[in-house]
Amino acid sequence: MAELLTGAALAARAAEALEVPLQRSLGARLLDPDAPAAGAWFVVAGLASNGRGALHAAALGTVLELAAYLALLPSLSVSEDAVTHAIATQLVAAAKDGDRVEVRGQVDRRTRRLAFLSVVATAEDRTIARAQLTKSILGPR
């Protein structure tokens, strides 16, 4: 059995994901630095704003995908990675400038080459979006 990502290797992979320029420019942070799989958060401001006082859907989509990746990390071996190849998102409510948006993902099913994930975004204790993602598992990194 392949060695799963844990400890320092898991933290390093999560940090690498947060350093992607788009995530970094949105100000995405881990909900729990000691448990990267818990998800991410960001504040609706700057690039995350649509210019009309609300969250831009593209910014939200970026962090939905990030949260799915973070949720999957503990299921990956040290030699695997994953990329999204399908995403379906429902935008169900708005978040306004200044709101803290929290995004949590969960692995619904993992096979050898695919992972199916669900992600929920909330702001002010309201659900603002849900997404279903399919990620392809890539072999040795």
Side-chain angles (χ1 to χ4, degrees):
M1 175 119 184
E3 178 186 355
L4 293 178
L5 285 170
T6 58
L10 176 63
R13 192 77 71 88
E16 185 179 275
L18 289 169
E19 284 302 312
V20 169
L22 187 53
Q23 275 83 285
R24 190 175 62 242
S25 66
L26 292 172
R29 303 282 183 264
L30 295 176
L31 284 170
D32 181 350
D34 294 326
W41 68 274
F42 66 102
V43 174
V44 180
L47 289 177
S49 176
N50 68 2
R52 304 275 301 158
L55 175 60
H56 194 292
L60 179 58
T62 296
V63 184
L64 288 165
E65 188 172 11
L66 171 64
Y69 182 73
L70 293 170
L72 182 58
L73 283 178
S75 300
L76 295 176
S77 75
V78 296
S79 64
E80 292 176 319
D81 208 347
V83 295
T84 299
H85 76 248
I87 184 170
T89 303
Q90 295 177 321
L91 305 172
V92 297
K96 62 186 183 313
D97 283 354
D99 282 353
R100 175 182 162 127
V101 177
E102 297 185 357
V103 188
R104 294 173 175 81
Q106 73 174 36
V107 178
D108 297 326
R109 183 169 179 243
R110 159 78 204 263
T111 68
R112 192 170 73 81
R113 290 287 168 225
L114 294 173
F116 303 90
L117 302 109
S118 299
V119 184
V120 175
T122 60
E124 305 295 315
D125 296 322
R126 294 175 297 112
T127 298
I128 61 169
R130 295 181 177 278
Q132 299 291 309
L133 291 93
T134 304
K135 288 192 173 278
S136 294
I137 308 300
L138 305 177
R141 216 170 169 227

